[in-house]
Amino acid sequence: MDLFTFTRAELTSPVQFAGGRWVVSAYDDVRAVLADPVTFLPDNALTAVTPVAPAALRSLVRARFSLPPTLANNSSASHTRLRKLVASFFSPARVAAAEPRIRSLVWERLGGTDLVRDLAWDLPAIVLMDLLGCPNVDIPTLKRWSSGSLEFFWGDITRERQLELVDDVGDFHQWLVKRYHARDGELFCALADAGVSAEDSAGLCYFLLIAGQETTTQLLSTALRRALLDRELWARLPLPGVAEEFVEDVLRTETPVVTWRRLTAREVVLSGVRLPAGAELVLLLRGKETDPRHLAFGYGRHFCLGAGLARLEAAVTLRTVAEHEPTLHLTGPGPDWLNLLSFRAPRSVTVAR
């Protein structure tokens, strides 16, 4: 079974060995794994799926690239302090205050023929930079760095492709270090004032600036395409609460963050299957309609800090587009898909009026 293309229907067991990793698919098992970061370590969460080739590794060394344990890959005692610091930028009040800005950005992007390229591609990055107090960011460059990094770390790619991407990975990291030393932006000032080192700050911000907007681009793309497949739903999206309810349904059954990874700290049994210490787990986050609730944002101490922002951006975007463009409909051939180990979403949503 190819872990980059497999479907839930291909699984014959709630815990199944495939592609050198253990796939965990049952809701209760996935939640239990995420709830126990002592037995199931997050240490491999950001490890490159495809081993980094020596030539690419040398480029990373020259760029002094590193991803020290900070948030998503951190099982140490420092996690709580760093998470609390970053969480202050995603407080409910701060997120709610972003709604007019989100709506304005959607209005500015109405009328395009590709809802990914013309709307979903850069909107989340602009909102995130606003929320983090980081002005003067070249959004196209940030998007190139972040999308390339997703492919570099989560893609099934060749050595040649690694070498095509590695300079952007290194440039992104060096840019983060420079902004930290220049205290350029509220986030970098907060990290420096809290005594977080340049290396740790760059590692933390590297993933934060990717996950904080690339996954929302993917959610918008997925939700817009799915909503346009249902004309009755599209007509109801402007009504109070309909967009919010629909977003939760998309997150449950078609979340773009399809998997996440963990590492067993000791021998353990899941659903009657004995797993050795050091086993790599791939957790299925895309659930079923019958699941009691979704795990799209994770669970436990590593629950996604940007969950509230992603929900707001998705609901406001769906409601605004449906209200202002009621006759919008899908057109053209089916989309090309982003297909990484942990991320799947349409790369385009072509429409007509």
Side-chain angles (χ1 to χ4, degrees), residues 190-304:
L191 290 166
D193 290 343
V196 181
S197 69
E199 180 186 30
D200 283 354
S201 293
L204 182 154
C205 293
Y206 184 86
F207 183 69
L208 177 64
L209 267 59
I210 295 172
Q213 48 87 23
E214 285 291 338
T215 55
T216 309
T217 288
Q218 295 161 16
L219 175 59
L220 297 182
S221 305
T222 301
L224 285 163
R225 179 179 181 274
R226 179 162 152 183
L228 285 165
L229 290 169
D230 186 337
R231 300 311 304 173
E232 181 183 350
L233 169 68
W234 189 256
R236 292 190 299 109
L237 279 174
L239 299 176
V242 174
E244 286 80 2
E245 182 179 349
F246 175 66
V247 169
E248 293 307 303
D249 187 57
V250 171
L251 287 167
R252 180 194 305 272
T253 61
E254 205 172 346
T255 173
V257 186
V258 288
T259 70
W260 209 239
R261 286 176 289 166
R262 285 294 184 264
L263 195 67
T264 55
R266 57 176 175 80
E267 185 179 274
V268 66
V269 176
L270 275 179
S271 285
V273 178
R274 188 172 300 277
L275 304 174
E280 289 196 54
L281 309 184
V282 174
L283 312 177
L284 262 61
L285 301 185
R286 182 174 287 183
K288 299 177 290 187
E289 290 286 354
T290 54
D291 288 338
R293 59 185 60 83
H294 67 72
L295 297 169
F297 296 117
Y299 184 78
R301 73 189 299 239
H302 289 94
F303 183 82
C304 175

Side-chain angles (χ1 to χ4, degrees), residues 99-158:
E99 182 168 352
R101 172 67 162 152
I102 297 168
R103 190 179 302 109
S104 176
L105 288 168
V106 177
W107 284 340
E108 292 172 8
R109 285 156 175 74
L110 293 175
T113 58
D114 182 348
L115 297 183
V116 177
R117 180 194 63 206
D118 301 323
L119 192 160
W121 181 77
D122 65 348
L123 185 151
I126 295 169
V127 173
L128 181 65
M129 294 304 101
D130 287 350
L131 208 69
L132 298 177
C134 294
N136 306 317
V137 174
D138 185 300
I139 297 299
T141 300
L142 174 63
K143 291 295 294 186
R144 189 184 77 243
W145 286 340
S146 60
S147 60
S149 294
L150 280 187
E151 185 179 355
F152 188 91
F153 284 99
W154 281 274
D156 181 16
I157 57 176
T158 64

Side-chain angles (χ1 to χ4, degrees), residues 12-137:
T12 58
S13 168
V15 179
Q16 182 172 331
F17 191 72
R21 297 175 175 88
W22 293 92
V23 179
V24 182
S25 58
Y27 175 90
D28 288 341
D29 287 338
V30 173
R31 179 173 170 171
V33 169
L34 293 171
D36 185 356
V38 175
T39 304
F40 304 98
L41 303 172
D43 300 30
N44 64 336
L46 308 183
T47 302
V49 173
T50 302
V52 180
L57 187 58
R58 286 193 292 270
S59 293
L60 293 180
V61 170
R62 285 195 296 270
R64 297 185 179 181
F65 180 91
S66 66
L67 284 178
T70 52
L71 292 178
N73 61 340
N74 193 352
S75 59
S76 74
S78 67
H79 175 267
T80 300
R81 179 176 69 94
L82 292 171
R83 182 180 173 88
K84 183 177 180 181
L85 189 157
V86 175
S88 66
F89 288 89
F90 295 91
S91 68
R94 195 165 180 138
V95 168
E99 182 168 352
R101 172 67 162 152
I102 297 168
R103 190 179 302 109
S104 176
L105 288 168
V106 177
W107 284 340
E108 292 172 8
R109 285 156 175 74
L110 293 175
T113 58
D114 182 348
L115 297 183
V116 177
R117 180 194 63 206
D118 301 323
L119 192 160
W121 181 77
D122 65 348
L123 185 151
I126 295 169
V127 173
L128 181 65
M129 294 304 101
D130 287 350
L131 208 69
L132 298 177
C134 294
N136 306 317
V137 174

